[in-house]
Amino acid sequence: MESLLKAIEGIVGPANVLRGDDVAARRVDWMSGAPCRAAAILRPASTEELAAVMMKCHAAGQPVVTHGGLTGLVHGAEADADELVISLERMTAIEALDPVGGTLTAQAGAPLQAVQEAAMEAGMQFPLDLGARGSCTIGGNIATNAGGVRVIRYGMMRQQVLGLEAVLADGRVVSSMNRMLKNNAGFDLKQLFIGSEGTLGIITRAVLRLQPLQPVSQTALVACADFTALTGLLQHVRRTLGEQLSAFEVMWRSHYALLTEESCRHAPPLPSDFPFYALIESLGSDATESAQRFETAIESAFEAGLLSDAAVASSEQQRERLWAIREDIEGLLHHIAPRFAFDISLPIADMEDYVQALERAVSARWPEGRIVVFGHLGDGNLHVTVGTGHDDAETRRAVEALVYEPLAALGGSISAEHGIGIEKRDYLHLSRSPEEIALMRTLKQALDPKGLLNRHKVLPDIAE
């Protein structure tokens, strides 16, 4: 190990090979806050340096784990004491922006918020948006196929990537920096790396697709009397707002009441006795037209009996206050501790029955247990937090079984947007067929036959 690290120092410089306390001072993810246990952290400054590092690691049979913004929630960045971490924190450049072609080229370590701001300065927008925007990186967003709050309009991260560059396990560089929307020249190789969680290659650069800036937002928090009204409201705003609908975020009463009335973290804009709350937002370019269209959508929803109460933001400050209730994950985790958090997807029509069945199952086993639910309803994605009063491994496995196993019969997924990592690896068979898993193994074996990249994540290590 020491001779390998000395050789790598010759590539990235001694100051960019961190050891000892400098490693332990790093955290492996936002959720756990656990210290990094890797043998060292390597900080290349370019694709060329990373390729040279990976050639050395491949020759030595040295496994590595890639670190981006460390905002993941499935232990995808954990490294054992015999592994090395590749941190892309020095690869943050925004290399080019083409407003005519609608593209932005960035290194993988660039924070999402920096990309958003660069696009905005050019009169464009990069539409991916999530609460961790200030910390998460473009490479991590691509590696996990991030979702966020605007998927209903713009799609997942996969839809925002035109081209990318990646370093393979043996140091070879696959550069497919396509800048065109249409390119059917053979296999679309970038898709191999999008959502593969660093197990097939390390993403270093990307060409991102920009959208026209939509500077005018209209936002409302509404309350619904039942799930039928909630889903009817979703259909209604899709029809009345059309392409302007950018978010339809839903909070079960459990989430809304906890973060307003129970914890007093946020002033409740609406009473907390409704079963469902929806945060609706539209984006447009004409202030008068957008406001009139949004007002008509809300008023007609009232007339149709689809919503029972509403608070419409009349300023950016009010908008931020409404969104703060939905995005206060820190408050949620603080007031339900210990807890187990899940990111799942399932057909919208099955959500109410699924949540009710889960509530009954948790209550039957842990009478003092509780469940908090919110999510991107229009995308079929729910975030479920379960508190039982216990945080031991046996309880975790029991809760995981209650949450995950019903999804198989519903055609749902154990992961909607956070990936698999280590945490969900043993449940992958509930969402993927044996044939799909076998093909994943084939791809892993072809691109990383020694099993060096993010081993033990997503799939068991092929080399073992």
Side-chain angles (χ1 to χ4, degrees):
M1 175 68 77
E2 188 57 32
S3 61
L4 174 62
L5 293 178
K6 285 293 184 183
I8 292 174
E9 283 183 354
I11 299 169
V12 302
N16 296 306
V17 177
L18 306 184
R19 296 175 169 87
D21 292 342
D22 290 333
V23 173
R26 302 289 185 101
R27 297 293 176 261
V28 294
D29 58 48
W30 175 79
M31 177 73 82
S32 70
C36 182
R37 298 185 294 118
I41 295 177
L42 318 178
R43 306 189 301 172
S46 65
T47 299
E48 293 72 23
E49 286 189 5
L50 176 58
V53 168
M54 287 310 304
M55 289 181 65
K56 295 289 186 183
C57 289
H58 188 264
Q62 175 60 52
V64 302
V65 175
T66 308
H67 278 190
L70 301 178
T71 59
L73 301 176
V74 293
H75 305 288
E78 285 191 4
D80 291 333
D82 62 342
E83 294 179 308
L84 298 178
V85 161
I86 304 286
S87 173
L88 301 182
E89 62 195 81
R90 298 175 66 211
M91 297 177 61
T92 61
I94 295 172
E95 299 179 344
L97 195 152
D98 176 7
V100 176
T103 66
L104 182 151
T105 302
Q107 292 181 323
L112 171 59
Q113 186 170 334
V115 170
Q116 291 174 330
E117 292 172 351
M120 189 171 297
E121 289 176 4
M124 304 288 285
Q125 67 160 324
F126 182 62
L128 180 78
D129 194 33
L130 45 146
R133 64 186 69 84
S135 302
C136 64
T137 63
I138 289 299
N141 296 152
I142 297 172
T144 58
N145 188 30
V149 298
R150 293 181 179 171
V151 172
I152 194 171
R153 178 166 180 176
Y154 295 105
M156 302 280 281
M157 185 65 177
R158 188 181 302 278
Q159 280 71 48
Q160 323 309 326
V161 181
L162 292 177
L164 59 76
E165 178 182 84
V167 175
L168 301 184
D170 59 6
R172 285 178 295 164
V173 178
V174 177
S175 188
S176 182
M177 297 290 282
N178 169 68
R179 294 181 294 160
M180 300 167 291
L181 187 59
K182 290 184 175 181
N183 185 349
N184 278 341
F187 299 161
D188 190 359
L189 295 177
K190 70 175 181 289
Q191 301 296 346
L192 284 173
F193 304 101
I194 301 175
S196 65
E197 302 183 46
T199 60
L200 301 181
I202 302 174
I203 298 166
T204 53
R205 299 164 66 226
V207 179
L208 306 175
R209 184 182 181 187
L210 301 182
Q211 299 289 345
L213 183 63
Q214 303 291 304
V216 179
S217 64
Q218 309 292 333
T219 309
L221 178 69
V222 306
C224 296
D226 53 43
F227 195 75
T228 299
L230 179 66
T231 55
L233 178 63
L234 172 60
Q235 293 174 294
H236 176 82
V237 294
R238 276 175 166 166
R239 182 172 59 252
T240 54
L241 295 176
E243 77 288 348
Q244 291 192 359
L245 179 64
S246 63
F248 192 90
E249 300 291 297
V250 171
M251 295 171 279
W252 265 241
R253 182 184 181 278
S254 57
H255 179 96
Y256 181 80
L258 172 63
L259 292 175
T260 56
E261 182 181 78
E262 184 177 339
S263 67
C264 298
R265 288 179 66 89
H266 305 276
L270 298 175
S272 60
D273 53 357
F274 294 100
F276 301 101
Y277 298 81
L279 192 59
I280 305 169
E281 186 162 277
S282 69
L283 292 176
S285 57
D286 184 284
T288 301
E289 187 274 337
S290 294
Q292 290 177 345
R293 190 170 180 178
F294 194 79
E295 181 179 349
T296 298
I298 297 299
E299 288 181 351
S300 57
F302 263 120
E303 294 169 358
L306 298 175
L307 56 87
S308 303
D309 204 350
V312 180
S314 59
S315 66
E316 179 61 23
Q317 184 179 43
Q318 290 182 4
R319 174 187 176 272
E320 291 175 356
R321 287 175 179 172
L322 296 181
W323 273 104
I325 301 172
R326 156 63 180 83
E327 294 189 331
D328 189 5
I329 308 305
E330 183 176 346
L332 170 63
L333 299 182
H334 176 73
H335 286 277
I336 302 183
R339 65 346 213 169
F340 306 103
F342 302 90
D343 155 52
I344 62 172
S345 62
L346 66 159
I348 296 173
D350 296 318
M351 287 182 175
E352 182 179 30
D353 290 343
Y354 170 86
V355 171
Q356 289 178 349
L358 181 59
E359 288 173 336
R360 290 193 297 268
V362 170
S363 179
R365 183 153 184 176
W366 301 280
E368 303 302 318
R370 65 185 302 181
I371 296 176
V372 174
V373 182
F374 69 96
H376 320 285
L377 187 85
D379 315 328
N381 177 194
L382 292 182
H383 296 290
V384 179
T385 303
V386 180
T388 66
H390 309 278
D391 61 355
D392 57 279
E394 182 180 353
T395 301
R396 166 175 282 281
R397 298 292 290 189
V399 173
E400 288 173 343
L402 294 179
V403 171
Y404 292 143
E405 289 178 359
L407 296 173
L410 300 174
S413 174
I414 62 171
S415 179
E417 58 181 355
H418 290 165
I420 299 298
I422 296 174
E423 185 172 299
K424 302 186 180 188
R425 184 187 60 191
D426 294 344
Y427 299 96
L428 186 61
H429 67 281
L430 296 174
S431 297
R432 296 296 188 189
S433 69
E435 293 77 16
E436 288 177 304
I437 293 175
L439 182 55
M440 292 180 197
R441 291 183 182 279
T442 299
L443 291 169
K444 176 68 172 174
Q445 178 66 29
L447 294 178
D448 183 17
K450 292 186 177 182
L452 302 182
L453 296 175
N454 230 13
R455 61 179 185 171
H456 311 309
K457 315 298 189 343
V458 184
L459 295 168
D461 195 351
I462 297 298
E464 294 186 349

